[in-house]
């Protein structure tokens, strides 16, 4: 008998994309699943659109107040009734064979505890920006995950036994991001984990998503994951596991020190990230904020001019090719 998959989908202000996301699940070639959706108190039509579906595989657990992505995921984790657990973000799209290929990977390898996939980064129109070819070999993943993320969190599939062993996302990362990085890092340290060498998921890069808000805590969240991983590498509990709040705060303050010395640096770093992801208007806005904070800093002025140049080049290029 085929294993049942629980797919969790938190949704917040995703009215433009949520139907496409849901349909990409309902149209999967592997159909033994339940799709658990929670509208997180959206202030648009997201909840209304979700409620228009009558497919019996869809289960809804809407929030009366906004709880954020992490807490909503943790609520849905507790509702899962399947043998396997995976994700589908409300503004992304899965390939029709995504679930099938991931289940086949688990069936082929009894030791496998986590399976992700390659992804396509797409813009708001669904146009491909680039393909993110994640590392597929477990040994390489294990050696590298303490340095940088090795999975797109939304593509991760695990057996329910792994969820029971590791729990859901750790509350420390609530509203600052990197919860999936921390989660996968802890799993990889102890269990075989791979990525399938197939782009089975379209991750939509949106400039107005919560993860794009400029914040030192958000910017440093991945660094905190690495800090905790380094602590565990010494065969000791990390500061969160040990409840050592003072140790956590000390590391946060160390990471924030450079932004205290140069208040414009954070915006410059975000501008670089926005440019890399072809979010050119966000890059211009972020570098403009940097100039406003330190108008005589040559680096800031150069970054702003560069961001404007890249945006203009992109605009002209797209105009000529459409």
């Amino acid at each position: 008998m085929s294993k049942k998959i629980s797919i969790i989908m938190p949704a917040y202000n995703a009215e433009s994309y949520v139907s496409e996301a849901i349909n990409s699940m309902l149209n999967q070639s592997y159909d033994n699943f339940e799709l658990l959706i929670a509208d997180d108190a959206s202030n648009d039509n997201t909840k209304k659109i979700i409620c228009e579906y009558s497919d019996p595989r869809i289960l809804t657990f809407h929030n009366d107040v906004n709880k954020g992505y992490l807490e909503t995921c943790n609520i849905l984790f507790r509702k899962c009734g399947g043998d396997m657990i995976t994700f589908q973000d409300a503004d992304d799209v899965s390939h029709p064979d995504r679930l099938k290929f991931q289940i086949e990977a688990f069936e082929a390898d009894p030791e496998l505890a986590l399976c992700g996939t390659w992804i396509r980064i797409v813009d708001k129109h669904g146009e491909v920006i680039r393909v993110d070819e994640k590392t597929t070999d477990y040994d390489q993943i294990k050696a590298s995950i303490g340095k940088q993320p090795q999975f797109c969190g939304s593509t991760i599939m695990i057996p329910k036994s792994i969820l029971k062993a590791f729990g859901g996302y750790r509350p420390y990362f609530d509203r600052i991001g990197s919860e999936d990085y921390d989660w996968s890092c802890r799993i990889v340290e102890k269990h075989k984990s791979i990525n399938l060498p197939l782009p089975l998921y379209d991750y939509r890069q949106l400039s107005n998503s919560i993860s794009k808000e400029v914040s030192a805590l958000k910017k440093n969240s991945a660094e905190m994951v690495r800090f905790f991983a380094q602590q565990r590498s010494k065969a000791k509990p990390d500061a969160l596991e040990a409840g050592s709040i003072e140790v956590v705060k000390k590391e946060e303050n160390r990471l924030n020190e450079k932004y205290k010395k140069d208040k414009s640096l954070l915006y410059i770093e975000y501008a670089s990230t926005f440019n890399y992801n072809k979010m050119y208007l966000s890059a211009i806005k972020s570098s403009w904020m940097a100039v406003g904070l330190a108008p005589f800093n040559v680096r800031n002025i150069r970054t702003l001019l560069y961001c404007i140049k890249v945006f203009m080049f992109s605009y002209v290029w797209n105009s000529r090719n459409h």
Side-chain angles (χ1 to χ4, degrees):
M1 185 176 178
S2 62
K3 292 182 177 180
K4 185 176 182 179
I5 303 173
S6 294
I7 307 154
I8 68 173
M9 180 191 289
Y12 179 71
N13 287 356
E15 63 179 2
S16 298
Y17 309 108
V18 68
S19 288
E20 189 176 8
I22 292 173
N23 291 338
S24 77
M25 284 289 99
L26 298 183
N27 294 327
Q28 288 289 306
S29 57
Y30 187 95
D31 63 2
N32 187 15
F33 65 80
E34 58 179 12
L35 177 58
L36 295 81
I37 309 178
D39 173 71
D40 193 18
S42 297
N43 50 36
D44 65 1
N45 290 317
T46 298
K47 182 178 179 179
K48 178 182 177 182
I49 294 170
I50 294 168
C51 292
E52 289 174 351
Y53 283 85
S54 58
D55 193 297
R57 293 172 295 180
I58 295 177
L59 307 176
T60 57
F61 305 92
H62 301 314
N63 297 335
D64 294 328
V65 296
N66 183 266
K67 296 178 181 295
Y69 180 83
L70 184 149
E71 188 174 346
T72 301
C73 282
N74 282 348
I75 291 171
L76 293 179
F77 280 143
R78 295 191 289 270
K79 305 291 185 179
C80 290
D83 306 295
M84 311 295 292
I85 296 169
T86 191
F87 306 82
Q88 172 65 45
D89 280 0
D91 51 10
D92 296 340
V93 176
S94 284
H95 185 282
D97 290 324
R98 179 196 152 200
L99 299 183
K100 171 178 174 288
F101 287 138
Q102 288 187 280
I103 281 291
E104 288 177 350
F106 281 99
E107 290 176 344
D109 188 351
E111 294 183 1
L112 188 60
L114 184 156
C115 178
T117 78
W118 287 358
I119 64 173
R120 300 193 306 175
I121 309 295
V122 301
D123 64 17
K124 63 181 180 180
H125 303 296
E127 296 293 326
V128 178
I129 297 173
R130 69 179 188 278
V131 176
D132 192 351
E133 298 183 353
K134 302 290 187 181
T135 303
T136 59
D137 178 74
Y138 174 52
D139 289 336
Q140 293 181 28
I141 289 173
K142 189 174 183 180
S144 302
I145 199 162
K147 302 172 186 175
Q148 61 183 6
Q150 297 296 305
F151 301 93
C152 169
S154 302
T155 72
I156 288 174
M157 181 181 287
I158 60 169
K160 193 169 186 179
S161 59
I162 293 296
L163 175 63
K164 290 180 178 178
F166 288 86
Y169 293 145
R170 298 204 282 187
Y172 170 79
F173 295 95
D174 188 22
R175 300 184 189 269
I176 68 171
S178 296
E179 65 281 330
D180 56 319
Y181 179 23
D182 174 70
W183 198 55
S184 62
C185 190
R186 291 183 291 124
I187 295 172
V188 167
E189 290 169 358
K190 296 184 177 181
H191 299 283
K192 186 174 183 179
S193 307
I194 65 169
N195 280 301
L196 298 181
L198 297 167
L200 301 176
Y201 192 87
D202 286 358
Y203 175 85
R204 203 181 302 270
Q205 189 77 69
L206 299 173
S207 60
N208 63 341
S209 69
I210 293 175
S211 62
K212 303 305 177 292
E213 295 174 0
V214 176
S215 159
L217 275 174
K218 291 178 184 291
K219 190 67 177 177
N220 289 333
S221 62
E223 290 291 344
M224 292 303 294
V225 173
R226 290 187 272 272
F227 172 68
F228 298 137
Q230 185 178 34
Q231 291 184 314
R232 293 192 302 273
S233 70
K234 300 174 183 177
K236 296 180 179 180
D238 65 39
L240 289 182
E241 294 170 344
S244 304
I245 305 303
E246 290 184 3
V247 174
V248 174
K249 292 298 181 183
K250 182 178 180 180
E251 181 64 11
E252 287 178 348
N253 291 335
R254 186 188 72 81
L255 292 172
N256 287 337
E257 192 61 34
K258 61 181 179 180
Y259 301 127
K260 293 178 182 178
K261 292 180 179 178
D262 180 358
K263 296 184 183 300
S264 67
L265 177 60
L266 180 63
Y267 290 91
I268 290 298
E269 291 182 352
Y270 267 94
S272 176
T273 300
F274 290 144
N275 254 333
Y276 176 74
N277 289 306
K278 298 186 179 181
M279 300 162 65
Y280 301 124
L281 291 178
S282 294
I284 292 172
K285 180 180 178 181
S286 189
S287 55
W288 176 257
M289 291 294 293
V291 171
L293 288 169
F296 301 110
N297 187 312
V298 175
R299 175 205 63 201
N300 295 349
I301 297 172
R302 285 178 176 172
T303 301
L304 175 60
L305 293 175
Y306 176 76
C307 290
I308 294 173
K309 178 182 177 181
V310 172
F311 169 72
M312 293 303 295
F313 177 83
S314 173
Y315 179 81
V316 171
W317 175 266
N318 289 332
S319 297
R320 289 178 177 177
N321 288 275
H322 289 83

